[in-house]
Amino acid sequence: MLLKSVLLSLAISLATAQSEVGRPCGFKIAPCPFDMKCIADNPYCPELNKCPGHCEFKNKYASCGGFTPRPHNCDKKHECQDDPRLPPNCGMACDIPGICVPKDAHFCGGFLGLACPDGLYCYDALDGCDPENGGADCGGICL
């Protein structure tokens, strides 16, 4: 019974994490996460206190890779990576498109607790470093 409860709570938490992008907002319901904004569903009703909307990331990055007929490539200043803003998944290895990440993206977090410039947010660098498993200086990138 305990195992069923643990598995159920894990499934609910994963479903909740994956549903943040595109989840409903507006009508004074729960606000979007800190790195997202509420976008009105109807352009003729931009007043989000009176109209429905959905959550989208504040910072947009070009899509790349993935299983598409004509996969998009990044320019010379960017590299295609799994999207670190999404919950852990198999990413481009499972044909989920990645994003074009700037090659000169700022480092954040880590042992020094470095902050991102205004308007950017710190995400796990997806480098295999695990702070829960011996990685005392795991950092991230600012996106």
Side-chain angles (χ1 to χ4, degrees):
M1 184 68 175
L2 177 62
L3 179 60
K4 284 184 181 180
S5 298
V6 170
L7 291 176
L8 180 62
S9 65
L10 179 62
I12 290 171
S13 66
L14 286 175
T16 302
Q18 292 176 346
S19 66
E20 293 297 322
V21 175
R23 82 166 168 82
C25 58
F27 289 124
K28 298 182 182 179
I29 61 175
C32 296
F34 66 94
D35 59 345
M36 295 183 174
K37 60 185 172 186
C38 189
I39 304 295
D41 288 339
N42 183 342
Y44 298 107
C45 187
E47 183 60 44
L48 291 169
N49 287 332
K50 300 176 185 175
C51 302
H54 62 278
C55 296
E56 289 184 8
F57 286 111
K58 290 179 181 175
N59 299 324
K60 296 202 180 267
Y61 295 91
S63 179
C64 60
F67 185 65
T68 60
R70 286 177 242 147
H72 301 284
N73 295 319
C74 300
D75 63 26
K76 293 179 181 179
K77 295 182 180 180
H78 295 80
E79 59 187 350
C80 191
Q81 294 182 5
D82 290 333
D83 193 341
R85 302 171 300 172
L86 299 176
N89 59 46
C90 57
M92 291 187 294
C94 294
D95 293 327
I96 297 172
I99 59 171
C100 293
V101 175
K103 289 182 178 179
D104 62 349
H106 288 88
F107 179 79
C108 58
F111 185 71
L112 297 176
L114 299 173
C116 291
D118 286 343
L120 298 178
Y121 304 93
C122 190
Y123 298 96
D124 180 25
L126 301 176
D127 56 4
C129 185
D130 184 359
E132 301 293 323
N133 206 2
D137 194 20
C138 293
I141 57 173
C142 298
L143 295 176

